[in-house]
Amino acid sequence: MRQVIIVGSGPAALTAAIYAARADLKPLVIASSVEVGGELMNTTDVENFPGFDEGIQGPELMEKMQAQAERFGAEIVYDDVAALELDGPLKRVTLASGAVHEASTIIYATGSAYRKLGVEGEERLTGHGVSWCATCDGFFFRERAIAVVGGGDSAMEEATFLTRFASKVYVIHRKDTLRASKIMQERALQNEKIEFVWNSEVVEIQGESAVSGLVLKSTVDAGLRELPVEGVFIAIGNDPRTHLVHDKLELTEEGTIAVDGRSSRTSVPGVFAAGDVIDPTYRQAVTAAASGTVAALDAEHFLALAAQSGGDEQAARAVATATV
Ligand code: NDP
């Protein structure tokens, strides 16, 4: 049996792994089979992670975090969690491969999943012009007209990046002001290849076997218009990935995992949560990493108190709650 199993592989999970490994807790990290590294794997330049004054590529930053965790003894498994048993002192994690791992504590840091538009054509044309990842798919749209949907930092970043390939990038936003940070807005607004389509919602993605256009609806007068494009990148935010725990852990109104104050303690003793899955507000790589630190320290504290209490988890929980 392990002391701690960490579920996830983004900045929160890997920072928790670094701290837990350095505390000699020999963490097992369940990193997923396909989406290893989390959202930063879909990012190009990361310019706001302290310590990298020239910026760093998202995937490189994640590789470094993983190498750092492994250097201190974290073990990484590339598989998906199929089921979790969280009640009681022994937590059980069943993987898609059928392997079962047990631990005294779990750190849950599964991040968030891309939000979908939920319009006609989106499912059917996914992979045929509909994408959520400019760095993965931008290359396929050389000299084509494409659209990015959204008004946040992700949309600005994707649109700016896509101008390397596309002949024209429309940014479709449902308002007439952007949510994105000033610097990201300015970069996009000044880019000659980007044209903003304000006050507009996508109501349909058109195309038989590949995207051929969008149907847009005005949020001002409900008027419809068609916009011919060969690709559409959806960047309208994310939802916390809680599907494996929504009936096991208390959630907040925003759908994130509820934690106790500034700690990472969930509603189940011995289960801690970190990163985007608990954070509806800040959602930065740095804040996720900090949150992973909190979770590792909370787990370490919990294990120490459980050991002192002779394995009595409820007693450990009571002491941990009173002292942190
Ligand atoms: P945000 O939640 O910040 O923005 C989502 C955008 O999509 C908003 O403009 C929102 O519109 C719009 N939107 C949401 N739902 C719909 C819908 N159904 N139809 C149409 N539009 C919709 O998400 P981001 O992914 O942009 O950013 C998430 C976090 O990651 C933020 O904290 C951001 O700062 C950070 N980030 C930082 C980066 C960087 O610094 N390099 C890069 C990328 C992200 P409305 O404004 O009307 O609500």
Side-chain angles (χ1 to χ4, degrees):
M1 187 180 77
R2 301 265 171 173
Q3 302 216 67
V4 56
I5 292 176
I6 298 167
V7 183
S9 58
L14 292 178
T15 307
I18 292 167
Y19 272 75
R22 291 193 77 248
D24 210 21
L25 299 179
K26 301 189 172 42
L28 179 70
V29 180
I30 314 295
S32 113
S33 59
V34 280
E35 293 180 12
V36 181
E39 273 188 69
L40 284 185
M41 298 303 283
N42 299 328
T43 307
T44 49
D45 295 314
V46 178
E47 294 176 333
N48 51 11
F49 201 92
F52 297 95
D53 58 340
E54 304 285 327
I56 182 167
Q57 296 292 300
E60 194 189 344
L61 179 59
M62 296 321 299
E63 270 169 36
K64 282 181 178 291
M65 282 191 204
Q66 182 172 332
Q68 197 173 349
E70 287 178 313
R71 184 177 140 217
F72 295 113
E75 193 185 325
I76 317 268
V77 169
Y78 300 99
D79 201 349
D80 301 307
V81 174
L84 287 164
E85 290 167 48
L86 301 177
D87 288 336
L90 190 73
K91 319 296 178 194
R92 192 168 286 127
V93 180
T94 305
L95 303 185
S97 64
V100 177
H101 296 278
E102 292 174 337
S104 304
T105 63
I106 299 283
I107 295 176
Y108 203 73
T110 46
S112 53
Y114 297 128
R115 205 170 277 156
K116 294 183 175 178
L117 286 169
V119 299
E120 164 60 31
E122 185 181 35
E123 285 300 336
R124 187 168 47 82
L125 295 167
T126 294
H128 303 281
V130 176
S131 172
W132 280 262
C133 178
T135 49
C136 314
D137 300 328
F139 182 80
F140 301 115
F141 297 92
R142 212 169 267 286
E143 295 309 317
R144 315 254 173 104
I146 58 177
V148 172
V149 187
D153 280 335
S154 297
M156 297 310 106
E157 186 174 72
E158 303 260 292
T160 305
F161 176 77
L162 286 165
T163 58
R164 295 186 194 184
F165 310 102
S167 53
K168 175 105 191 166
V169 179
Y170 297 97
V171 173
I172 319 287
H173 185 38
R174 60 187 179 183
K175 292 190 182 137
D176 63 359
T177 52
L178 296 166
R179 180 191 289 252
S181 58
K182 201 108 197 121
I183 185 166
M184 308 281 272
Q185 287 194 27
E186 272 163 17
R187 244 177 240 168
L189 288 162
Q190 283 165 12
N191 192 313
E192 285 177 357
K193 277 191 177 178
I194 297 178
E195 182 177 330
F196 282 80
V197 182
W198 303 106
N199 298 316
S200 298
E201 277 175 349
V202 176
V203 290
E204 185 187 339
I205 302 174
Q206 299 170 312
E208 287 296 321
S209 55
V211 171
S212 60
L214 303 175
V215 179
L216 305 180
K217 182 177 172 185
S218 163
T219 53
V220 178
D221 59 15
L224 296 177
R225 63 176 277 210
E226 288 187 9
L227 182 71
V229 288
E230 292 182 60
V232 54
F233 289 80
I234 300 165
I236 58 170
N238 303 270
D239 292 313
R241 259 198 209 100
T242 55
H243 60 286
L244 286 169
V245 296
H246 71 269
D247 56 349
K248 297 180 170 67
L249 301 177
E250 220 173 278
L251 302 184
T252 65
E253 272 179 14
E254 284 119 336
T256 52
I257 295 174
V259 290
D260 187 5
R262 295 177 61 207
S263 81
S264 64
R265 291 190 301 268
T266 69
S267 53
V268 174
V271 179
F272 305 89
D276 281 7
V277 82
I278 66 165
D279 177 8
T281 313
Y282 302 106
R283 303 168 34 76
Q284 303 295 304
V286 184
T287 50
S291 170
T293 305
V294 170
L297 295 176
D298 284 346
E300 189 185 346
H301 193 56
F302 179 89
L303 288 164
L305 290 167
Q308 272 174 30
S309 323
D312 180 344
E313 197 188 10
Q314 293 302 334
R317 169 75 160 182
V319 182
T321 310
T323 54
V324 177

